[in-house]
Amino acid sequence: MAKTLVIVESPAKAKTIEKFLGKGHYTVKASVGHVRDLPKSKLGVDIENNFDPQYINIRGKGDVIKELKKEAKKSKKVYLATDPDREGEAISWHLAHILDLDEKDECRIEFNEITKDAIKKAIKSPRNIDISVVDAQQARRVLDRLLGYQISPILWLKVRKGLSAGRVQSVTTKLICDREKEIKAFIPVEYWTIDLEAKTSNGEDVSLKFYGKDNKKIEIENEEMVNEILSDIKDKDLDVVSIESKSRKKAAPKPFTTSMLQQEAANKLSFTTKKTMSIAQELYEGIDIDKETVGLISYIRTDSKRISDEAKEKSKAYILDEIGENYYKNTAEQKEKKETKKVQDAHEAIRPTYVDKTPDSIKSYLSKDQYKLYNLIWRRFVASQMEDSVFDILNLECQIGNYIFKATGSKMKFDGYTKIYNFTDREDKILPDIKEGDVLNLENISPLQHFTNPPARFTEASLVKTLEELGIGRPSTYAPTITTILNREYVEKQGTSLCPTELGIIVTDILENNFQKFIDVDFTAQMENQLDEIEEGHIEWKKVVSDAYEPLREAIEVAIESIEKINMDEETDEICENCGENMVIKYGRFGKFMACKNYPECKTTKPLVNKVGVKCPKCHEGDIILRKSKKGKAFYGCSNYPECDFIAWNKPTGEVCDKCGSYMIEKVTKSETKIICSDKDCNKGNIKENKDASDEKIEK
């Protein structure tokens, strides 16, 4: 009996779906991603023939294609069940071409989650391949190829081989370079704060902050202003002139879009965007639980915050049964805000497929990281259907003469959604019982000098947020874009911060001076909007490509002639042991290395050793050098390795702990750098501030 063939993208997904459909009537196979693409060895776009793409079968996919053709030939029906987005639609289109399927045939099925009900429902509702969606993907692919394959060779010629430019990656690198320019150009501005400690007539403590003068908020700009205020308020009491009490609600968060998941996973779990998407893919495709493969979350690439009625009903039942009736936000009260930006598709937000599969109930089936991410997604979704949290806020205003000082107290009245989704240790700040007309005794005055901070460097989380706000790229592109610019060494990580390298700055300057339009934020965002219009069937894809290519062609002709070759070799004081010439730092395929200046006559090379200026705290002879693990994570080791096996993730400072004698290290967090003892049992009581990371410098 002839079976029905269902083709998906990944083997893991194929395994899960075949269990749902059963092997008796269905065969499920995987294409393992794309099967056709533009050739790697040449441009692959016929510019003279209206930008026709010259697709070929991808090298290495011969066996996969052969097997799919064999299965398709003996099947009565073929369903293409690739991912429900542009790339997935394009893969289905290419598969239809390879398997000689009629494009007008209803061979395309899609689903937002890998559950038995969703798969069977999709099988009953096949449709045609959506050519408009395919054309949007073709336009993106051809544009990226034209930019990449025509600008990159110029970089090879003028800078060095192996460099690349791209429609999204170059704009992203430019954002990071521009932020670095802002930081370097930033001039700190001095300002002061004045904190007061006071007591009520009952001896209870109250902390207040300077607000202003004569009912106006003012900034204290210098020490002269501070001294004037201190002189006026010294030895005087505070009069309580106003007490305002009110309740404030904090709205439950919306369920995750792709970008918000990447941001929250970075902020709450310290996951990179690449790691987040990799683990999310595993949860989406299926985890083995009690001898059953279960897709735990819905599709992971989405701009939408929409939730299906069925999912809402299931979450309602869970909240009412397990958390409490007063925690459920009545659906009638949940006003769905109209999404102001275009979304790529009609997907739901990212949510658990089975809300009753709580993170703790399936923890034993998940890896540590899978549990962390599933826990985040599950809690966010349940919280999105819960009541707001409510706080009682008490605002206190006091005066000394004409000067105003304020204090704020807060107390949680109802925890609402934070009962489920709360990743911070919040403490109530309770003010003592005070009435208008009371007098507070001034106990202590603390004037503090501060300086404004420059803008913070991008982290992966803040970069994803910025890319989304500017309309650059799509959910599926954020993680690979960040991975690409790190692998190309245009950008490097310092702690969690993304910093441009010298190479990244040079390449960005070349592109900005010669291809300004193509790394312009507005142009890139406009291009994303045009891709949306192609998908909606409003404009023809080849016209979009043609309009973009003409100025690119002109810019390339000028750039080849005008860009001067850049020598990136950096001369050092180290002498070549073979010929006596100075060694220079060169950029190679695998990063920086040292080579003789006299090349090619002298071919001496050696690895580049990045010394940090500190002796090894273990052998006291070798130098501490900065190294990178296979995954690119920075660590510190001894130059005498393997004789000395010292290794540390944090940078040794060369100092010794005055309490236990262990070596001291630099501990870098998002907000500060601290010098602490390397001994975990000792470092809690032995922390000192790094002078370059003063807490007093806060962003104004």
Side-chain angles (χ1 to χ4, degrees), residues 219 295 417 601:
E219 301 292 339
Y417 76 89
E601 287 75 16

Side-chain angles (χ1 to χ4, degrees), residues 35 57-69:
V35 289
N57 292 351
I58 295 173
R59 184 179 295 177
K61 286 293 184 75
D63 290 343
V64 171
I65 292 171
K66 187 177 178 182
E67 184 182 14
L68 293 177
K69 283 185 173 181

Side-chain angles (χ1 to χ4, degrees), residues 454-505:
R457 288 190 174 106
F458 285 111
T459 61
E460 287 200 26
S462 62
L463 181 60
V464 165
K465 183 180 180 183
T466 300
L467 291 173
E468 183 182 36
E469 287 173 348
L470 294 174
I472 298 170
R474 279 293 181 261
S476 58
T477 65
Y478 300 144
T481 296
I482 293 171
T483 300
T484 297
I485 62 178
L486 286 168
N487 289 343
R488 297 288 183 192
E489 295 188 339
Y490 295 157
V491 172
E492 64 183 6
K493 273 194 167 184
Q494 293 181 10
T496 58
S497 298
L498 296 168
C499 308
T501 61
E502 180 190 3
L503 180 62
I505 292 169

